[in-house]
Amino acid sequence: MGTAERRETSGDGTAAREVTRQQAAPATGAAGRRADGGSARETAEVRAAYRPLWVEEPAKRRRLPDPVRTAAVRAVLIIAVTLIQATVAVLCTLAGSWLAFPMVISSVVSTIAATWAVLDVWVTRQVWNQRHGVVSTPSSTARALRRERRQARRAERAAERERARIRRRGGAGQLSHP
């Protein structure tokens, strides 16, 4: 169902049908009357009552890379299961059930797994940043050093090209000979 559609229900809420904008606002005639006898004012009221469910806004932060997002989802699921296990362990302990001891043991193991999963997110994020680079700020000293090295390499390559050009010509074209 797109943004140009809405659902209408009957008074008791049992029957629902989809209504598009064109169906909700029938065409009006030249005299400002609809074909079914209603006024153009009613059509404007129907249009005014229509509003989208949400308004798209640009994202404030960039999306996480796929491997990092996968690790984060895995960590959230493991943490959720750990919390459920801990809750069941507490309730079983309070009830004096035989299931309390196995649930406490599984909660401890699950807590270790959840800690591992969170560390996995952190390590995956660090590896991603290391492999794909991080955005450096203009005041970064590393950027200035890279710029200097790049300029030195360019100057060295230009000098090498000049020496090779002079060698190919056999020294011809020089103003003075040593």
Side-chain angles (χ1 to χ4, degrees):
M1 180 164 76
T3 56
E5 300 172 349
R6 69 168 194 251
R7 288 199 175 273
E8 282 189 351
T9 60
S10 62
D12 60 355
T14 55
R17 67 182 182 98
E18 292 181 4
V19 177
T20 62
R21 225 183 259 184
Q22 289 82 16
Q23 292 170 341
T28 58
R33 311 265 318 152
R34 290 190 319 208
D36 62 353
S39 68
R41 193 160 149 223
E42 291 173 6
T43 304
E45 288 173 2
V46 168
R47 262 193 230 126
Y50 172 78
R51 59 185 182 141
L53 294 174
W54 64 84
V55 177
E56 300 256 348
E57 295 178 0
K60 289 182 178 42
R61 294 182 352 175
R62 288 185 307 142
R63 182 175 156 164
L64 283 174
D66 286 340
V68 178
R69 196 162 8 109
T70 303
V73 168
R74 187 182 321 120
V76 166
L77 291 175
I78 292 173
I79 290 169
V81 168
T82 302
L83 290 174
I84 291 170
Q85 282 182 332
T87 305
V88 170
V90 168
L91 293 175
C92 287
T93 304
L94 292 175
S97 172
W98 64 270
L99 197 57
F101 182 70
M103 287 306 295
V104 168
I105 298 299
S106 70
S107 293
V108 170
V109 171
S110 194
T111 302
I112 294 169
T115 306
W116 190 269
V118 171
L119 284 174
D120 180 45
V121 173
W122 183 67
V123 168
T124 306
R125 185 169 174 264
Q126 295 299 323
V127 167
W128 175 269
N129 284 339
Q130 196 171 24
R131 285 185 184 162
H132 297 89
V134 292
V135 179
S136 59
T137 59
S139 62
S140 171
T141 56
R143 178 183 273 187
L145 290 173
R146 282 195 308 265
R147 187 182 305 121
E148 289 173 9
R149 278 191 241 125
R150 219 174 14 247
Q151 288 173 347
R153 280 195 306 264
R154 283 185 194 138
E156 188 178 322
R157 282 195 303 260
E160 182 61 34
R161 280 194 304 267
E162 185 66 24
R163 285 194 294 270
R165 187 178 60 82
I166 290 172
R167 271 187 254 127
R168 277 194 310 266
R169 298 175 96 189
Q174 291 180 342
L175 297 176
S176 63
H177 295 287

